[in-house]
Amino acid sequence: MEEVGVLIVGAGPAGLATAACLTQFSIPYVIVGRESCSASLWRNRAYDRLKLHLAKEFCELPHMSYPADAPTYIPKTLFVKYLDDYIERFNIQPKYLTSVDSSTYDNDKKCWSIVAHDMAGCTAINFIAKFLVVASGENSAENIPVIPGLQSFPGEAMHSSRYKSGKSFSGKSVLVIGSGNSGMEIAYDLATHGANTSIVIRSPIHVMTKALIRLGMTLAHRVPLNLVDNLLVAAAKFVFGDLSRHGITMPKVGPMILKSKTGRSAVIDVGTVGLIKQGIIQVQGSISKIMGNVVKFQCGKEISFDAIVFATGYKSTANRWLKNGESMLNDNGLLAKEYPNHWKGENRLYCAGLARRGLASIAVDAKNIANDIKSVIDSMSG
């Protein structure tokens, strides 16, 4: 049995940021992560050409800036180095390969009882914590949709977390399912490596440039969001033209308001739209079923593929182990409260990095959590 003041579950950017903010107040904590390293999503489950989609000023963790000579859009390798430097700067020492099985709130003792296990030694570990921080991220488990006949597909079918590069797909027919930033960038990567590429785009999406999103996020602090959206939509139409004839329709709600209400991001174009316009990347609609290597689409079209990449996102798994957490998370593991009041539940329960607002929101969550924990501790000792 290990008694701790604060237990942080998750050693990705959200957990590390919370640990650093607690360190600033000299509040002791323990941080656990189920992987063998910090930020495993960034190290092991991100494709080679990935850069942060937002400018670096929106992607800093608390109390430490990027090096002055860092590029505006940080590549994956540099971001991982930044996280390693961050861990060193704040002397964060996660207990790796520690998986949380359950956590329940003890009303009598007014503390959280957490059962975990050491995955290396296969031993159980019990924690008693006054404060519990859920920082296990939105990207805990791969989300693969149910498609009739998928199990009959003889080729390679993978989630985007296992995709590294299009090199091995040269000359093959590949279907990318999912048209968020990962799906659009993977389609571009496949096409530029000589794969015969199709992408399924079912829902309306906003397509923007990096510069437009940077402008939008900068203006959002000073100008009403609907005006920012009007500007961005007009500019995007000017840059890309009418994309509806290429199978890409635009949502009725503008990109900044859509992000703030639903967490859905605009797609930042890396060159995919140009290849779609040239016919190098084919846009497909919804799939009705898969029959062997043939994919049948709802429009009746049938096309055979050698490989399928599911860029269909992730699910949070926190609700599987968090009991008595309904004040903060619903049954789907999603936030029960509206942003910006999402980070705090009842009984000294907190969450960092679950607001679907990226690294900028993680920094705000971490600061809020540390400030709140400090004020509770001060009031107890006052």
Side-chain angles (χ1 to χ4, degrees):
M1 182 71 72
E2 195 174 331
E3 289 200 23
V4 300
V6 183
L7 183 70
I8 302 169
V9 180
L16 300 177
T18 306
C21 290
L22 290 170
T23 298
Q24 296 296 96
F25 293 135
S26 302
I27 296 171
Y29 65 87
V30 169
I31 178 169
V32 300
R34 64 176 189 189
E35 306 287 349
S36 59
C37 60
S38 65
S40 69
L41 179 72
W42 295 91
R43 284 178 212 276
N44 305 328
R45 290 188 277 158
Y47 45 94
D48 292 345
R49 58 167 288 124
L50 178 68
K51 287 187 172 77
L52 298 187
H53 292 121
L54 301 180
K56 63 183 176 183
E57 64 263 31
F58 301 112
C59 298
E60 288 185 347
L61 297 186
H63 311 301
M64 187 174 126
S65 297
Y66 288 102
D69 60 351
T72 304
Y73 296 95
I74 306 288
K76 175 177 90 164
T77 48
L78 193 60
F79 184 63
V80 168
K81 165 114 181 39
Y82 170 76
L83 292 177
D84 286 338
D85 292 344
Y86 195 82
I87 288 168
E88 195 174 325
R89 160 88 68 97
F90 298 102
N91 191 26
I92 303 168
Q93 297 175 12
K95 291 179 186 281
Y96 295 122
L97 294 172
T98 302
S99 179
V100 173
D101 301 318
S102 70
S103 62
T104 47
Y105 186 72
D106 187 324
N107 249 322
D108 298 330
K109 295 179 182 166
K110 298 284 180 268
C111 62
W112 289 91
S113 174
I114 297 101
V115 178
H117 69 273
D118 174 346
M119 294 157 75
C122 298
T123 51
I125 315 166
N126 294 296
F127 295 99
I128 296 288
K130 289 189 177 70
F131 302 89
L132 177 61
V133 181
V134 178
S136 49
E138 306 159 314
N139 301 335
S140 304
E142 298 171 359
N143 180 40
I144 293 190
V146 176
I147 300 174
L150 175 59
Q151 68 284 355
S152 74
F153 184 71
E156 189 170 9
M158 65 164 75
H159 188 267
S160 58
S161 60
R162 291 195 289 118
Y163 178 92
K164 294 294 178 204
S165 162
K167 281 181 198 153
S168 57
F169 296 99
S170 181
K172 295 183 175 175
S173 292
V174 185
L175 178 64
V176 179
I177 299 175
S179 54
N181 276 302
S182 294
M184 294 290 263
E185 188 157 3
I186 287 169
Y188 177 82
D189 191 55
L190 285 163
T192 54
H193 279 100
N196 181 9
T197 308
S198 287
I199 184 166
V200 170
I201 302 182
R202 292 174 306 175
S203 311
I205 51 173
H206 284 291
V207 181
M208 297 279 146
T209 64
K210 280 182 172 175
L212 282 176
I213 290 296
R214 189 183 190 187
L215 173 67
M217 289 185 74
T218 307
L219 288 175
H221 299 294
R222 305 173 182 86
V223 180
L225 281 189
N226 62 322
L227 297 182
V228 178
D229 276 346
N230 291 344
L231 174 67
L232 293 183
V233 167
K237 281 181 180 167
F238 177 74
V239 171
F240 296 110
D242 178 15
L243 295 178
S244 61
R245 56 204 175 96
H246 300 288
I248 300 173
T249 57
M250 200 180 272
K252 290 185 171 63
V253 178
M256 300 297 283
I257 291 176
L258 192 66
K259 178 72 178 168
S260 72
K261 288 208 164 132
T262 68
R264 279 179 55 207
S265 299
V267 169
I268 297 170
D269 182 52
V270 294
T272 317
V273 169
L275 297 186
I276 288 171
K277 285 179 171 177
Q278 292 171 49
I280 294 169
I281 295 174
Q282 304 289 324
V283 172
Q284 311 295 351
S286 295
I287 295 169
S288 59
K289 63 180 173 181
I290 296 173
M291 304 162 292
N293 64 349
V294 174
V295 176
K296 183 169 185 181
F297 296 92
Q298 284 181 1
C299 62
K301 202 188 298 181
E302 295 184 4
I303 306 172
S304 61
F305 291 98
D306 302 306
I308 299 173
V309 180
F310 287 94
T312 41
Y314 297 85
K315 299 179 280 207
S316 167
T317 56
N319 56 320
R320 293 182 195 169
W321 54 263
L322 179 65
K323 309 292 178 263
N324 312 120
E326 47 284 329
S327 62
M328 193 174 73
L329 298 181
N330 63 23
D331 291 342
N332 300 319
L334 301 172
L335 295 171
K337 291 184 189 167
E338 289 277 309
Y339 179 90
N341 305 310
H342 60 282
W343 55 273
K344 184 178 178 181
E346 290 168 8
N347 303 322
R348 301 174 195 160
L349 173 67
Y350 305 91
C351 69
L354 284 177
R356 300 186 68 189
R357 285 156 189 268
L359 292 162
S361 160
I362 282 174
V364 176
D365 287 352
K367 287 177 185 171
N368 282 337
I369 290 166
N371 287 336
D372 197 74
I373 289 174
K374 182 179 186 298
S375 69
V376 173
I377 291 171
D378 288 350
S379 69
M380 286 157 64
S381 57

